[in-house]
Amino acid sequence: MTKSPALYRVILLVWAALFGLALLTTAGSLSREITQRPVAGVLALVTLLFIGYFWLNGIKDVLYTAWCYLVMRGRIRPVRRRKLHRHPPRVVMVYCTRNDFNANSLAASMKQRYTNVHTVILDDSDKPEYLTMIDIFAATHDVQVVRRENHVGFKAGNLNNYLTGADYDYFVILDSDEIIPPRFIRRMLDYFASDQSIGIVQATHVATRNVTRFQQKFSLGVDSHWPVYQSVKNRYGFLSLLGHGAMVSKQAFDAAGGFPLMVAEDLCFSLAVREHGYTTVFAPDVTCQEEFPVDYLAFRKRHSKWTQGNMEFIRKNTRPIMTSRQLHWYEKLDIVLFTYALPLTAVFSVFVVINVVVLPMMHASFQFPLWMLIPTVAFLVAPMVNDVVFHWARMAHTKLLSYSGGSMMLYGSMYFTSLRSSLKSMFGNSVFLVTPKDSTAISFREALRSTRSELIFAGVLAVISLVFTRSVFPVFLLVLPAMVAPYLMVRHQPTRAELHERQRGKVLQAA
């Protein structure tokens, strides 16, 4: 598929008009401030640049949704079906696991309407119960198990350990909770046959098996994100392998030299594949199933992994991205706006320090025009626009409102996790964290203990704001979600019935 810069031209045009207006209305005040009080003036200018970047991200979220429904509607067409050759390609399904084996998911995924395929379990587990469960499953279903002596390179190292030198034409990546449809392989081969430059085909996903209240409440975002954002990226941005539910050609794997040994191995691999002339495409008609994190703690752990992975990606790939001759300018911008958002939390802290501590200490009197508050607030809720539009006709509006408010609190409460994870990765090594698949009931006291870092952070931030600005308002949107974190944890914790159901499923798998 030929990519187009049309969407990002519109995004930049709208942003330039809005930010240009902000520059015009603040130019005089900024000029006087810089002349009379250079340090305060420069800090005010830095604040304006922060606001401009925030607006650009907000415009991107709004226009991504609008473009999908207004411009691309009716134009998202899957490739046509094709007949298989007399000798169908050799396909291997690689199931990656580390102490989170799900027999039901793998058994369901293996029911492929395709003959020349075999399954390999790439097992990095070190807990005896999982090792036993996997061995029993492998013996029962005639599945190969590959284990390695060391666990270097996280998931990427696990994949490379088997795929390098193995005999196949294509491989399918399955995560522990992944369920792919019976015609997955057959349909993916249609996409590869449509264009010889395709190296990766990524399927869409929905969240299923939502047993806990946390999953039932917040998994709605999965169903709305995949078909909209990935469809738009497929045509107008940089589409990446998203770690699971995808098929990759051996030619692309060999050309890229395998998966880079990084936490965000999927994103890094997609970039390496692209640099060697292969593309990633989206298959909107191939729907896989995944599980949303079971509770708040699991969600927070996954969020930390994503942040560390993205920060590591920024440190090691920013220069190659900017100097790449394969990537179009709008693909580079797309990578920056999507991938850099989580790790830039650490940079955003500079914005908070400037406006809550430094400028008040200097008794700076510079104020931005009141009208700038309108787009700022609007773009604050911009990430929820797609969810609202997608689910508007699919669910009760009261439930949708509850989900939207809860999601803002949930993601807002991740600020401290993003900050800590960004700094950890920036000055140390990123760590691949496996998202827990089990959940336990906890008391409110235990919730307070589990979120004490968030609560201390919120308390200190509120006190600093009170001391320097005599108000909590400047940091209210950071303090409130952090203070709500214990409630989110307890309110959406699993009931006894939910815990029993998950335990029953594990027993059945073990049997």
Side-chain angles (χ1 to χ4, degrees):
M1 175 182 289
T2 303
K3 289 186 177 290
S4 168
L7 172 58
Y8 269 101
R9 284 175 178 168
V10 174
I11 289 174
L12 290 178
L13 182 63
V14 174
W15 176 79
L18 185 61
F19 191 60
L21 180 61
L23 288 174
L24 286 175
T25 55
T26 58
S29 301
L30 278 173
S31 178
R32 286 193 298 272
E33 193 74 19
I34 291 174
T35 301
Q36 298 172 5
R37 308 176 66 179
V39 175
V42 169
L43 292 177
L45 179 60
V46 171
T47 297
L48 181 60
L49 294 176
F50 269 111
I51 293 173
Y53 175 77
F54 177 73
W55 283 1
L56 181 58
N57 261 302
I59 292 170
K60 175 261 297 177
D61 285 324
V62 172
L63 287 183
Y64 245 72
T65 302
W67 202 270
C68 183
Y69 288 101
L70 300 179
V71 178
M72 298 182 65
R73 191 170 185 175
R75 299 182 183 180
I76 303 175
R77 297 185 180 91
V79 300
R80 64 181 180 85
R81 299 185 184 277
R82 299 167 183 266
K83 291 183 179 181
L84 279 176
H85 294 295
R86 184 173 301 176
H87 302 289
R90 295 160 297 177
V91 179
V92 57
M93 297 198 301
V94 288
Y95 177 93
C96 303
T97 179
R98 178 176 170 81
N99 301 323
D100 59 352
F101 180 70
N102 188 316
N104 293 334
S105 296
L106 180 54
S109 295
M110 289 171 60
K111 296 177 181 179
Q112 291 296 303
R113 297 174 185 172
Y114 187 79
T115 55
N116 197 8
V117 57
H118 69 279
T119 304
V120 179
I121 300 176
L122 306 183
D123 183 27
D124 263 359
S125 302
D126 54 16
K127 293 183 178 180
E129 61 268 30
Y130 285 101
L131 294 172
T132 301
M133 191 185 305
I134 290 170
D135 288 339
I136 293 174
F137 182 93
T140 304
H141 295 82
D142 191 24
V143 171
Q144 181 184 359
V145 179
V146 175
R147 296 186 173 107
R148 51 188 181 141
E149 294 182 1
N150 62 66
H151 297 161
V152 174
F154 314 117
K155 181 179 177 181
N158 194 12
L159 288 165
N160 291 341
N161 180 63
Y162 170 74
L163 292 171
T164 303
D167 185 21
Y168 61 90
D169 296 307
Y170 300 91
F171 64 89
V172 179
I173 304 176
L174 302 175
D175 272 0
S176 63
D177 58 353
E178 180 86 15
I179 297 179
I180 61 176
R183 292 187 61 84
F184 179 92
I185 293 176
R186 181 65 187 85
R187 192 70 183 106
M188 289 303 206
L189 289 173
D190 292 335
Y191 280 84
F192 281 106
S194 69
D195 189 338
Q196 295 301 311
S197 69
I198 294 176
I200 304 170
V201 182
Q202 174 67 63
T204 190
H205 285 72
V206 293
T208 59
R209 295 153 290 167
N210 299 314
V211 176
T212 69
R213 283 184 290 183
F214 187 86
Q215 291 174 316
Q216 294 166 358
K217 175 81 170 183
F218 297 111
S219 64
L220 297 174
V222 173
D223 300 349
S224 56
H225 173 85
W226 281 86
V228 174
Y229 276 84
Q230 304 313 313
S231 293
V232 178
K233 279 177 166 288
N234 191 49
R235 181 75 172 88
Y236 300 97
F238 180 78
L239 183 68
S240 168
L241 165 68
L242 293 175
H244 58 286
M247 183 182 281
V248 183
S249 72
K250 180 174 174 48
Q251 290 180 333
F253 177 81
D254 290 341
F259 286 89
L261 301 183
M262 298 173 68
V263 173
E265 85 292 329
D266 47 3
L267 178 60
C268 300
F269 178 71
S270 302
L271 185 62
V273 164
R274 182 61 191 281
E275 286 300 306
H276 287 83
Y278 292 92
T279 60
T280 302
V281 299
F282 182 55
D285 60 323
V286 183
T287 303
C288 305
Q289 301 176 45
E290 65 178 39
E291 282 192 11
F292 196 76
V294 292
D295 57 21
Y296 184 90
L297 292 175
F299 181 88
R300 186 173 66 182
K301 197 166 188 176
R302 188 185 72 170
H303 189 84
S304 176
K305 184 195 80 170
W306 284 357
T307 304
Q308 291 185 60
N310 286 7
M311 177 57 80
E312 184 184 34
F313 175 81
I314 290 174
R315 286 194 290 108
K316 296 186 177 182
N317 288 287
T318 294
R319 184 174 180 179
I321 290 171
M322 298 307 164
T323 57
S324 171
R325 294 185 178 181
Q326 289 285 344
L327 293 170
H328 299 294
W329 66 267
Y330 51 91
E331 291 180 281
K332 297 178 182 180
L333 181 56
D334 192 66
I335 293 174
V336 169
L337 292 182
F338 278 95
T339 308
Y340 287 42
L342 285 179
L344 282 179
T345 301
V347 181
F348 177 72
S349 299
V350 176
F351 170 82
V352 176
V353 170
I354 289 175
N355 288 274
V356 176
V357 178
V358 179
L359 287 178
M361 284 182 63
M362 299 178 65
H363 302 289
S365 58
F366 181 85
Q367 292 184 344
F368 290 101
L370 187 61
W371 72 265
M372 289 179 60
L373 187 62
I374 298 174
T376 301
V377 173
F379 295 141
L380 183 67
V381 299
M384 300 303 305
V385 170
N386 179 52
D387 290 345
V388 172
V389 174
F390 184 88
H391 291 290
W392 185 259
R394 293 176 170 85
M395 60 190 297
H397 295 169
T398 53
K399 183 180 179 181
L400 181 58
L401 180 63
S402 175
Y403 160 76
S404 301
S407 291
M408 291 186 66
M409 290 296 103
L410 174 63
Y411 285 94
S413 70
M414 292 294 118
Y415 179 83
F416 179 75
T417 297
S418 297
L419 176 60
R420 180 170 54 188
S421 300
S422 296
L423 294 175
K424 179 180 178 180
S425 180
M426 188 182 301
F427 299 107
N429 295 320
S430 297
V431 178
F432 190 101
L433 302 173
V434 178
T435 304
K437 299 299 188 294
D438 296 320
S439 182
T440 57
I442 61 174
S443 65
F444 190 71
R445 177 177 293 182
E446 290 171 324
L448 290 174
R449 188 181 303 116
S450 298
T451 58
R452 60 183 178 273
S453 297
E454 285 83 354
L455 296 174
I456 293 172
F457 170 77
V460 171
L461 195 60
V463 170
I464 291 175
S465 184
L466 279 171
V467 169
F468 290 99
T469 69
R470 298 181 181 180
S471 172
V472 184
F473 182 76
V475 294
F476 179 74
L477 294 177
L478 297 178
V479 171
L480 178 61
M483 300 298 291
V484 172
Y487 168 78
L488 289 173
M489 188 177 296
V490 174
R491 174 67 179 83
H492 301 293
Q493 68 175 310
T495 63
R496 290 183 179 179
E498 293 167 350
L499 290 173
H500 175 74
E501 181 65 24
R502 292 191 71 85
Q503 184 62 33
R504 178 174 175 271
K506 291 183 65 177
V507 172
L508 290 175
Q509 289 185 62

